[in-house]
Amino acid sequence: MTRDDAGEAAPTLRYGSAGSAGLIAGQVERLADEAAAFLGPSPVHPWYAGAVLLAGRGATVAAHHAMGSAVRYAGYDERTDRAVELPAERRRAMTGDTVFDLASLSKLFTSVLAVRRIERGELEPAARVSSYLPEFGGAGKREITVRQLLTHTSGLRAWLPLYTEPTREGKLRMLWREAPAHPPGTVCVYSDLNLIAVQLLLERITGRPLDVLLRDEITAPLGMRRTRYNPPPSWRPFIAATEDARPPWSGLDRGLVRGEVHDENAYALGGVAGHAGVFSTARDLAVLARTLLNGGAYGAARILRPESVELMFTDFNGAFPGEPHGLGFELCRRWYMGAMATPRTVGHTGFTGTSLVLDPTSDSFLILLGNSVHPVRGHRSGSAPRVACADRMARAVPVLPVRGATAWFSGMARGATATLTLPAVAPGPGQGRLSCALWWDTVPGSGKLFLEAAQEGGDGWRPVPFTTVRPGHGPSHRPAGSVTGWSGRVWHRLTAALPALGDTARLRLRWRYVTSGPYTGRGAYVNGLRIEGGDGRTVFDEARPGDAARTAADGWSASPD
């Protein structure tokens, strides 16, 4: 491990207030409520028995909350489809330092180790896996590349019951004999087999087992003392329980699992696997998050170069719409990232109820760890708590106005219409002009912001074409009078020619924000409104006290950002 290239220590985490993190305090305060809501029926059973939430921005952890139970149930009664409650004295409350089985979040650690080998020139992303691991090349897998394993485009199916083979050799033979379900590089199929293959590849080229690589190259340098495979018995009192694992819902009959990996294949591989098996805490995961947002360094330790982190955050799956993926990390997955999702947002989830989201654009991070398969996997559905917390975290990142103290905000409601209407003005003869600053972040297609105009006493609203200019870019013409998608989370300058009316006719302008579907973006903001008449005189200026008062009286609401 080397010191940061510049010879200076990279930022390390500290606990602080929302304000010191550059976040909106009222929104941060509501994060715990969002997570705690799913301790109750969600919609029938609790989504998790308990959870730990950690969120921050920059080097500041602004929220770290534990709720519910780390151990609540003795098991699951399949006859009644009910959890078997433990007596109160035998339950264990969730704490901020509870250790969780991360499940597929383990894939991120395996990916970091692989990218370290790429950085050192020991692995080539475009190289065939079989050139390093000849046994892997059988049954049509010879052309699969390292990059395809890390981006889930190898063509391998999602899963194999490796645990049915009693020996490690037998398990490996199953993988060697497995043929791709699709030609490599033609589809994106999320597969545990990909990261198991990466594990075997790493162990072959380094001569060291994966758990040793994890310790020597990630957790020890970063001081992640509560992150490892196969936690020792002394950790058991601090570990959240997972499932009452029995057939037919589980592949193995193990009873209530606690302190051992939940995933059947990882368990059968001795608890150390490329796809699952790592245990950790929210605080340790925050260290990993900060390290990656720092460009691969934390304090005096550097585990990756900035360009290597960029590989993990770069979408290599442009040929597969809806499946953006870097080397290890998923990108822009609204089903768990909620309104934090942008083309630059990265993250991952784990089957046991874990998730990690990093937004490089705002330098923010969100960790939600829940024991959602406790007591049985069938009691959980969807990803609602992850989305609810991510929406709230996105709202906690302020949008600072270009001009003045406030901007006008559309809100973030789903399946709703928000209308922001200006008072009527008389632009006079000729063609008037609107100018303002505009900021938007919506779900592409299902969240749209429209600019519309209507003559007072006329027959309805009409779209107003406009032009936006992002700093450092050329103009973008919006002939339909609308925007959707991601604006880069920066303010754009908007100009629009207004409909020509008579000398005394009065014109009204409005923004209409419409959302549909299950997810929402961060919303839209308007700031610095100004309308000039056809003769060049200013007929409305948001900065003038009188015009601001008229705007407020007409139903606009100021964002506290």
Side-chain angles (χ1 to χ4, degrees):
M1 223 49 46
T2 60
R3 194 173 178 85
D4 186 34
D5 292 345
E8 299 178 358
T12 58
L13 291 174
R14 62 181 182 273
Y15 283 78
S17 66
S20 66
L23 297 169
I24 301 171
Q27 302 298 330
V28 172
E29 290 166 2
R30 296 172 68 180
L31 275 170
D33 294 337
E34 297 285 6
F38 296 90
L39 295 170
S42 309
V44 178
H45 305 284
W47 203 87
Y48 35 43
V52 177
L53 178 145
L54 188 150
R57 188 181 188 197
T60 302
V61 175
H64 189 181
H65 302 285
M67 60 206 72
S69 300
V71 185
R72 176 175 173 177
Y73 307 111
Y76 167 68
D77 185 345
E78 66 270 27
R79 294 168 299 177
T80 61
D81 189 30
R82 297 186 66 178
V84 180
E85 298 270 0
L86 283 168
E89 66 273 13
R90 292 182 57 197
R91 298 179 189 179
R92 184 169 290 273
M94 198 71 77
T95 67
D97 58 0
T98 294
V99 176
F100 287 81
D101 176 347
L102 297 184
S104 283
L105 283 189
S106 306
K107 293 180 171 73
L108 298 180
F109 292 96
T110 308
S111 300
V112 168
L113 292 169
V115 172
R116 281 177 55 80
R117 307 271 91 70
I118 292 170
E119 182 179 284
R120 296 177 175 190
E122 298 170 22
L123 273 182
E124 169 54 50
R128 296 170 179 162
V129 178
S130 57
S131 66
Y132 306 98
L133 192 64
E135 305 96 308
F136 180 80
K141 300 191 295 299
R142 184 174 177 272
E143 299 302 317
I144 292 175
T145 67
V146 173
R147 181 185 292 120
Q148 287 167 350
L149 294 180
L150 291 169
T151 58
H152 294 284
T153 55
S154 68
L156 293 172
R157 59 171 152 160
W159 177 81
L160 273 176
L162 301 177
Y163 57 83
T164 59
E165 281 287 342
T167 66
R168 183 177 180 85
E169 292 73 20
K171 295 174 179 61
L172 294 182
R173 279 196 300 271
M174 286 184 71
L175 182 58
W176 305 152
R177 294 171 180 173
E178 176 71 7
H182 308 276
T186 63
V187 296
C188 180
V189 176
Y190 179 81
S191 172
D192 288 350
L193 302 182
N194 288 322
L195 274 295
I196 293 173
V198 173
Q199 171 194 0
L200 299 173
L201 177 59
L202 289 171
E203 292 180 339
R204 176 65 56 84
I205 65 177
T206 65
R208 290 183 288 165
L210 189 65
D211 55 343
V212 173
L213 289 171
L214 174 72
R215 181 195 65 206
D216 291 351
E217 300 192 7
I218 301 178
T219 63
L222 297 180
M224 298 170 65
R225 296 181 179 85
R226 284 290 190 176
T227 303
R228 60 169 293 166
Y229 288 101
N230 289 327
S234 60
W235 284 26
R236 192 173 188 275
F238 310 102
I239 297 177
T242 54
E243 191 172 32
D244 183 2
R246 291 180 278 124
W249 55 88
S250 174
L252 297 172
D253 190 350
R254 300 166 60 196
L256 187 69
V257 177
R258 185 181 178 203
E260 295 178 331
V261 62
H262 169 262
D263 181 89
E264 295 94 333
N265 281 340
Y267 176 76
L269 288 166
V272 180
H275 71 295
V278 176
F279 286 72
S280 189
T281 65
R283 178 62 170 74
D284 268 13
L285 284 177
V287 170
L288 179 67
R290 187 66 261 153
T291 299
L292 295 171
L293 288 170
N294 284 346
Y298 188 82
R302 175 170 291 283
I303 64 168
L304 288 173
R305 296 174 187 158
E307 57 268 28
S308 299
V309 175
E310 189 64 24
L311 285 177
M312 302 192 77
F313 291 5
T314 296
D315 180 21
F316 289 95
N317 285 6
F320 310 109
E323 299 287 350
H325 214 291
L327 297 187
F329 273 97
E330 297 171 332
L331 282 76
C332 198
R333 304 298 175 97
R334 293 189 185 272
W335 66 269
Y336 69 90
M337 296 177 181
M340 289 183 74
T342 77
R344 292 284 298 160
T345 307
V346 300
H348 215 286
T349 62
F351 184 76
T352 51
T354 59
S355 60
L356 169 69
V357 181
L358 312 180
D359 178 14
T361 304
S362 62
D363 200 27
S364 60
F365 49 93
L366 173 66
I367 295 156
L368 183 63
L369 305 179
N371 52 352
S372 66
V373 298
H374 180 53
V376 70
R377 65 190 74 184
H379 280 187
R380 176 196 68 193
S381 62
S383 204
R386 294 164 173 156
V387 172
C389 293
D391 284 354
R392 184 64 59 191
M393 184 61 186
R395 181 68 181 88
V397 177
V399 177
L400 301 178
V402 173
R403 177 179 171 189
T406 61
W408 307 104
F409 179 40
S410 66
M412 291 173 57
R414 296 182 182 85
T417 298
T419 304
L420 312 178
T421 307
L422 274 175
V425 296
Q431 193 167 48
R433 181 176 180 269
L434 166 73
S435 62
C436 67
L438 187 65
W439 189 107
W440 70 95
D441 175 26
T442 80
V443 178
S446 63
K448 288 187 177 182
L449 177 68
F450 300 87
L451 176 61
E452 298 171 323
Q455 183 174 345
E456 198 168 49
D459 59 355
W461 296 92
R462 302 281 192 276
V464 178
F466 57 85
T467 297
T468 58
V469 178
R470 177 177 177 174
H473 294 71
S476 296
H477 302 292
R478 318 283 181 175
S482 65
V483 289
T484 187
W486 191 57
S487 69
R489 293 195 173 175
V490 296
W491 287 96
H492 294 228
R493 191 65 187 163
L494 178 148
T495 56
L498 302 179
L501 305 175
D503 291 358
T504 61
R506 293 171 64 81
L507 180 72
R508 303 206 77 178
L509 290 172
R510 75 177 184 185
W511 275 262
R512 183 166 56 91
Y513 181 69
V514 180
T515 61
S516 61
Y519 308 115
T520 183
R522 180 61 176 78
Y525 289 78
V526 182
N527 177 242
L529 289 155
R530 184 174 179 178
I531 300 174
E532 296 177 353
D535 57 3
R537 63 190 173 88
T538 298
V539 296
F540 180 89
D541 189 338
E542 179 192 312
R544 296 192 305 208
D547 287 341
R550 291 169 61 210
T551 303
D554 253 23
W556 288 59
S557 60
S559 161
D561 294 2

